[in-house]
Every structure is written in structure tokens, then in C-alpha cells.
Amino acid sequence: MRSVNQNEKYPRPVLILAGSQAIFQTISILTMTIGGLAGDLLAPSPVLITLPLSMASLGTAIVMFPASLWMSKIGRKTGFISGALSGIVAAAVSMTAMVVHSFLLLCLGMFFLGVYQDLHSFIALRQAKRRCPHYGRKRFRWCWSVASWPLCWGRRRRAPC
């Protein structure tokens, strides 16, 4: 295990995780913005404009529970790599959909984007599990929610764990 230099303001893993979370949040926002615009451009009917956004939510909902079980069997690292590959597939399929003007391919690409978002969401929880001494107890839920509040409000406070 690599020792952390006490002179570093932020250790390398913290910077990697912060960068990863920043990219993830950017993609989530762009999904809502560009997904609706792309749906408007490619949808055969105005009723179907938001279907690609719904496919992203459906992908997240369908994969959530099986992904948790699957990652506990094969390992978190393989699960995170699979999530990254799902994001790459989502980008490739969605780009192809825009080039060939295929609404069905756009819906498929957005579904894979939902899978990516679900598998990526395990990273922050995994880090909390590793760092919080209260994991496995009721206090962990309180600890996790209080540690998340400063992120929402932009304040720099120390987490209770």
C-alpha cells in the first residue's frame, strides 16, 4: 500500500475520486439537456421526445439490484471497469444514432448511459464504506447523509466519520 505524504494537501486517490465525481455529475446534467434535444430531433412523434431520458432512468433502475449482487461476486474493480465500458458503449451508440438519425439507437445508447450511471454510483458509496467506522450500523446512514450535506451546500466541513 502506498503511504500518503503528509505534505500533500490532497492525496492522489482523493483527487482521482473528485475528478471522477466531477465528470459523472457533468454527464448526468448533459444527459438531461442533450438527451431531450436529441430526442426532439430524432423522435418520430412529439409524444416520444422524452423517451430517451426515460430509457436512461430505466437502465439505472433495471441494473441497480443485479449489479450490486454481481459486483459482490466478481469484485468491485471489475464492476467499476464494466461501468466505464458501459459509458463508452453508450457514447458510441448515441453518437452513431445521431449520425444515422436513428431514434431506436438513441434510446439504446441512453439505456447504456443509465447502466453507466448506476455502476458509477457505487464508487462513492464504496469509498464511504471503506472510510466510515460505523458502516453496518444504523449510525452509518446518519453519517453518510451528514457527510453529503456540505457537498450540497458547498461548505467545507469535516464529516462525522
Side-chain angles (χ1 to χ4, degrees), residues 15-87:
L15 294 175
I16 291 172
L17 184 62
S20 172
Q21 287 295 106
I23 291 170
F24 173 71
Q25 293 300 326
T26 303
I27 289 171
S28 297
I29 293 167
L30 287 175
T31 298
M32 295 302 153
T33 306
I34 296 175
L37 293 173
D40 185 29
L41 181 68
L42 300 179
S45 167
V47 176
L48 300 174
I49 289 175
T50 57
L51 184 62
L53 298 175
S54 301
M55 292 300 290
S57 298
L58 184 68
T60 300
I62 287 175
V63 174
M64 188 176 300
F65 185 68
S68 178
L69 296 175
W70 181 63
M71 287 173 74
S72 67
K73 286 184 181 179
I74 64 160
R76 301 286 178 195
K77 183 177 181 179
T78 306
F80 295 148
I81 291 171
S82 300
L85 290 175
S86 177

Side-chain angles (χ1 to χ4, degrees), residues 11 21 24 32 47 63 66 69 71 78 86 88 109-110 113 120 124-125 134 138-139 143 155:
Q21 287 295 106
F24 173 71
M32 295 302 153
V47 176
V63 174
L69 296 175
M71 287 173 74
T78 306
S86 177
I88 292 169
M110 294 297 278
L113 188 65
H120 188 281
L125 183 60
H134 308 297
K138 286 185 180 180
R139 189 170 173 200
C143 191
R155 295 183 185 151

